[in-house]
Each structure stands twice: as C-alpha cells, then as structure tokens.
Amino acid sequence: MKIAVVGAGRVGQAIAGSWARLGHSVTFGVRHPHDEKTHQLLASIGQGTRAAPVHDAAKAADVVVLAVPFGAAEEAIGACKGLKGKILVDCTNPLLPERAGLSIGHDRSAGEAIAGWAPQARVVKALNMTGAKNMANPKYPEAALSMLVCGDDADAKRVVAGLVGELGFDVVDAGPIEASRLLEPLAMLWINLAFKLGNGQDIGFRLLRR
Ligand SMILES: NC(=O)c1ccc[n+]([C@@H]2O[C@H](COP(=O)([O-])OP(=O)(O)OC[C@H]3O[C@@H](n4cnc5c(N)ncnc54)[C@H](OP(=O)(O)O)[C@@H]3O)[C@@H](O)[C@H]2O)c1
C-alpha cells in the first residue's frame, strides 16, 4: 500500500519504519524534504522510505497519516490538497503545552475537528492512545497492546485496522469518529501514567475479553 506519513517526528518515525519493513511504500510528507535532518532520518530508517513535500506525498498515497501536532493539523491538511476519497489517519491529540491536559474535549475532539477540515477524506482516528515507543513495538510478554480506532467510514476503518494490526496491535473498533472524544482522554491518561506518575513509556492498555 502507498502510505504518506505527514510529520516525521516520534510517531511518524515509529510507524514508517515498521510499515516499510513490511513492504509498504512509505513516503514522509515534510516541509523540508531535502534538508540534512530529513536525509539522516531516511538513512537511519532505510527500507526504501522517501521524503517529499506534503502535497506530493499525499497526492501519491492511498492512505495519508497525519502525525503532526494538533495545532499544525489544519495547515498540514491544507498542504495535502487533493484528499478526496482518501483515507486520512488522525494520530493527533489536542495537548496543552507541557502535557498539562487537553485543549478540547468532552463535547468536541481533535478527530472531529480534523474530519471537518478534511471533509472529502475518510478520517479514521488511530495510533493516538499510546506512546511512540509502543507504536514501534506493541508486543509485551503477556500480550500485544490494544489500539482503539474510530471513524465513520467502515471500509476506511477496515483498511486502517489492517495497517495497525500489521504493526502488531490488537485492534479494537471504538465506533464512529465521535468516539475521538473518548480516545483522546485515554491518550492523556497514558501520558499522565507514563510521565507524571513515573511509570515510564513501557506501559500500555489492553482490552481483555472472555
Ligand atoms: N509522541 C507520542 O508518543 C505520541 C503518541 C500518540 C499521539 N501523538 C500525537 O501525534 C502527533 C505527532 O506527535 P510527535 O510526538 O510525533 O510530534 P513531534 O515529534 O513533535 O513531530 C511532529 C512532526 O510534525 C511536523 N510538522 C509540524 N508542523 C507541520 C506542518 N504544518 N506541516 C507538516 N509537518 C509539520 C514536524 O516537522 P518539522 O520538523 O518541520 O517541524 C515534525 O516532523 C501529535 O499530535 C501528538 O499529540 C504523539
């Protein structure tokens, strides 16, 4: 599958490497595709990953993954331009500075805002509710971590569930995009547990079933 990862930070790097190793064609959509930082990043990931301006990466992709700060999401979506019919994976959390909390929530969410900014895309919220280290490796001795995904387009959600499952997660359908109102506070809980309460980043959530 052709995947554009918009944003080459912690999340972008964690997922791009794994998908590229699995044989997907991964292109980072970045603001400076030819700078030294990007060259070093591509060299460290290898596996045929490329970098291109956001517009070109998104245009060529089947799936566009938005891995930028929420405050940059509207601008990054604008840079993508032709997202008509494309799957847009929203990894963002509307974090306040210093991880002090969420800037929106309860009756709104980043997921819904992004769906509003990209009305022609099929938006799926995924890969927001755990740390980037867990995205690179979701396997724990007991079991793989769960990753909740939500969205309004069943086919898009199925495709994203497949890609997230390939990363090694136990994928759980959390319902329509409105469920972002629940998934984003779940991310905040993980952040508090990991960073404020001293548990570190090697922790995660798993949905148990019987
Ligand atoms: N880190 C985590 O563990 C984690 C976990 C779950 C969800 N998230 C969420 O995932 C998103 C990304 O987090 P991160 O930790 O990967 O962030 P990060 O390490 O700060 O990286 C952000 C990336 O976004 C790029 N960017 C910023 N503004 C942009 C724009 N207008 N157009 C295109 N690219 C732009 C930056 O590029 P430049 O180098 O050009 O600035 C950078 O590559 C955030 O919304 C975060 O809340 C993070």
Side-chain angles (χ1 to χ4, degrees):
M1 191 163 282
K2 288 185 182 166
I3 305 172
V5 178
V6 178
R10 285 159 291 190
V11 169
Q13 292 178 38
I15 56 181
S18 298
W19 279 331
R21 272 191 296 282
L22 289 160
H24 295 291
S25 166
V26 180
T27 303
F28 285 107
V30 291
R31 294 184 282 193
H32 308 289
H34 303 299
D35 71 3
E36 185 53 31
K37 189 171 90 172
T38 306
H39 281 301
Q40 283 181 9
L41 169 71
L42 296 178
S44 73
I45 295 182
Q47 308 291 334
T49 48
R50 290 178 292 271
V54 174
H55 172 256
D56 295 346
K59 192 174 172 194
D62 306 310
V63 173
V64 179
V65 181
L66 196 59
V68 301
F70 177 63
E74 187 173 9
E75 185 186 320
I77 288 168
C80 288
K81 296 201 174 84
L83 284 172
K84 189 173 180 186
K86 293 210 176 180
I87 296 172
L88 180 64
V89 181
D90 165 30
C91 307
T92 70
N93 286 307
L95 294 182
L96 290 168
E98 312 296 325
R99 303 185 184 119
L102 298 173
S103 60
I104 55 174
H106 300 296
D107 56 359
R108 301 171 57 215
S109 64
E112 291 162 287
I114 281 164
W117 294 328
Q120 296 184 314
R122 298 183 287 155
V123 176
V124 178
K125 181 113 206 158
L127 296 168
N128 79 299
M129 50 153 289
T130 198
K133 190 174 178 194
N134 283 330
M135 295 181 203
N137 177 16
K139 299 270 163 61
Y140 278 66
E142 301 85 356
L145 298 179
S146 295
M147 179 55 66
L148 278 68
V149 304
C150 69
D152 294 340
D153 185 300
D155 179 58
K157 204 156 50 170
R158 185 185 51 74
V159 171
V160 174
L163 287 171
V164 171
E166 284 184 54
L167 294 176
F169 284 101
D170 162 56
V171 185
V172 179
D173 184 347
I177 194 70
E178 191 180 303
S180 301
R181 299 175 191 184
L182 305 174
L183 268 55
E184 291 161 18
L186 193 52
M188 197 67 236
L189 175 62
W190 185 90
I191 288 167
N192 279 355
L193 289 168
F195 298 111
K196 280 199 180 152
L197 296 165
N199 291 285
Q201 297 180 60
D202 287 305
I203 58 165
F205 301 124
R206 166 87 192 189
L207 187 76
L208 299 179
R209 303 170 175 85
R210 66 179 173 193

